[in-house]
Amino acid sequence: MEKIQHSFVNVRGLNLHIAEIGTGPVVVFLHGFPEIWYSWRHQMTAVADAGFRAIAPDFRGYGLSEKPPEPEKTTFRDLVDDLLAMLDKLDIPKILLVGKDSGARVAYHFALVHPDRVVAVATLGLPFVVTGPAAFPTDVLPKGFYMMRWQEPGRAEKDFGRFDVKTVIKNIYIMFCGSELPAASEDQEIMDLVDESTPLPSWFSEDDLQTYATLYENSGFETALQVPYRAWLEDYGVDELKVKVPALLIMGEKDYVLKFGEFDHYIRSGIVKNYVPDLEVTFIPEGTHFVQEQFPDKVNKLLITFLNKHNL
C-alpha cells in the first residue's frame, strides 16, 4: 500500500484523484458504490507485481476527486468522458479496463463509445446491462428495493443523515454482503435494514472502514447517489449494443445482484453473450458482492491470467 502513489489530474475543469502503482501496460480500475479507489488495493499491488501499471481514479464527486458544480446533473457519460480526457492527459493510448458494480457499467460504456482505446474489459459484480426503463424490471423487484428508494431525490439523503458517515458505509457494506435483494418495508428506510450490533465481515477491518469513511466525509454522497442510482436509466448513446473486445465477468455465487430480475439466468444461459460475444464467466463459491476484497487472491489470479492473455 505504501508504494501506491497519489496525484491529481485536471480533467474537464475538475481535479480528479488517481492512485497509481507499477510500470507496463496500463490497467485502469473503476470503482462502484460505496467503494472508492481503495477498494482495488489488493488488485493494484498484484497486477503491478505482474508487470502492469495500475491506475485507479476516484470518479468525479467521489473520495478525493473534486465535486462537480451541479452533482444532480452528473451522468454516466460524464464518467466516460472524464476517463477519456484523463487518458489523453496522461498520454495513454490504450488500456485494459477493470470495473466493479456501477464501475462495470462505466467500463462497458467506455468500450462501446471508444473501442479503439480498449484492449479488453473485466468486470466484477455486474454483467453488461441493457439500459432504459425496460431494463429496470420494477414489476419483479420488491417495492422497497434500495435502488428504487435511492432514486427518489432527497430520500436517501434524509435516511443517511440520521447517522454519521462511518455508520452509513458500515451499513451498506454489511447489507450488500447478503445474498438477498436489500428491500425495506413501508415503515422502514434502507438504513434500518442493518442492526447496529451486526459486525463487519471478517475480511473488512475497522481500518478499512475508517479509510472509506474519511473519503466519503470529504466527498459526501451527492454525486454517488446521482450516479449510479438516479442516472441508471440513461442509455449508452450508440447504435449497436455489442462489445467487440475480449471480456471477463467474475461473480460471487452469493452476490445479491444475481437476484436482480433475471440476471442469474441472463448470465448462466449465455444471453449476455448477445452483447458481449467474447466473454468468459467465472463464479467464485461463497463470494458476495465485494468478491475482490473478500477473496483477493482468487480474483487476482483470475484477473492476471486474463490480462496476460490479452496484453497490449
Side-chain angles (χ1 to χ4, degrees):
M1 282 288 292
E2 64 275 4
K3 294 180 181 178
I4 295 176
Q5 300 178 329
H6 299 269
S7 60
F8 289 85
V9 181
N10 190 273
V11 168
R12 303 176 64 225
L14 297 174
N15 287 317
L16 300 189
H17 167 255
I18 61 171
E20 182 174 354
I21 185 172
T23 58
V26 177
V27 184
V28 175
F29 292 89
L30 303 177
H31 64 80
F33 175 78
E35 294 156 309
I36 216 76
W37 78 266
Y38 182 79
S39 64
W40 295 114
R41 59 199 179 281
H42 305 299
Q43 286 67 50
M44 292 179 72
T45 52
V47 302
D49 288 344
F52 295 89
R53 177 184 176 189
I55 296 176
D58 286 339
F59 288 135
R60 58 169 53 202
Y62 278 80
L64 297 176
S65 286
E66 192 175 354
K67 299 178 190 178
E70 297 179 288
E72 71 281 2
K73 293 184 179 179
T74 303
T75 65
F76 277 99
R77 187 56 188 258
D78 279 322
L79 306 188
V80 168
D81 292 346
D82 287 348
L83 176 56
L84 178 67
M86 184 188 80
L87 296 178
D88 288 344
K89 274 280 181 79
L90 298 175
D91 196 26
I92 299 171
K94 285 205 168 194
I95 56 172
L96 297 138
L97 260 178
V98 182
K100 161 74 197 314
D101 187 65
S102 53
R105 177 165 161 173
V106 179
Y108 275 131
H109 196 157
F110 189 88
L112 286 170
V113 178
H114 303 292
D116 57 318
R117 304 296 292 267
V118 181
V119 179
V121 177
T123 67
L124 297 84
L126 192 73
F128 178 88
V129 293
V130 179
T131 62
F136 192 75
T138 54
D139 56 324
V140 299
L141 292 169
K143 259 190 174 180
F145 184 47
Y146 81 96
M147 284 189 72
M148 291 187 285
R149 288 284 183 90
W150 290 354
Q151 284 175 349
E152 298 177 36
R155 186 157 190 173
E157 289 87 338
K158 187 175 179 181
D159 183 15
F160 291 6
R162 296 179 294 149
F163 306 91
D164 59 42
V165 170
K166 188 174 181 180
T167 301
V168 173
I169 298 297
K170 177 184 177 182
N171 286 354
I172 295 173
Y173 251 83
I174 290 170
M175 181 172 61
F176 284 5
C177 282
S179 58
E180 299 299 323
L181 291 174
S185 59
E186 280 190 30
D187 61 349
Q188 280 183 315
E189 293 301 327
I190 298 301
M191 287 292 104
D192 298 329
L193 292 174
V194 180
D195 188 290
E196 62 181 18
S197 65
T198 305
L200 287 167
S202 60
W203 43 265
F204 193 76
S205 71
E206 280 289 340
D207 286 344
D208 293 332
L209 176 60
Q210 186 57 56
T211 298
Y212 279 93
T214 300
L215 291 167
Y216 276 97
E217 282 164 0
N218 180 69
S219 67
F221 294 104
E222 289 175 289
T223 312
L225 286 167
Q226 172 62 22
V227 179
Y229 302 106
R230 294 165 191 169
W232 189 257
L233 300 183
E234 176 190 344
D235 65 31
Y236 290 113
V238 296
D239 294 329
E240 185 182 22
L241 288 181
K242 191 150 295 201
V243 177
K244 297 179 179 177
V245 297
L248 170 69
L249 172 62
I250 301 171
M251 294 292 300
E253 288 274 8
K254 295 189 175 181
D255 192 331
Y256 73 89
V257 167
L258 293 172
K259 295 183 179 176
F260 186 104
E262 298 289 326
F263 269 8
D264 193 41
H265 175 70
Y266 171 71
I267 296 167
R268 294 183 194 272
S269 68
I271 295 172
V272 63
K273 292 188 179 183
N274 292 337
Y275 307 100
V276 191
D278 190 2
L279 176 67
E280 302 172 45
V281 179
T282 297
F283 287 89
I284 294 182
E286 303 302 314
T288 66
H289 192 55
F290 300 105
V291 70
Q292 87 280 16
E293 294 182 274
Q294 183 185 12
F295 294 115
D297 292 344
K298 292 180 181 179
V299 169
N300 293 348
K301 185 176 180 181
L302 290 167
L303 273 181
I304 290 168
T305 299
F306 176 75
L307 295 173
N308 281 330
K309 187 190 298 187
H310 303 291
N311 208 333
L312 294 164

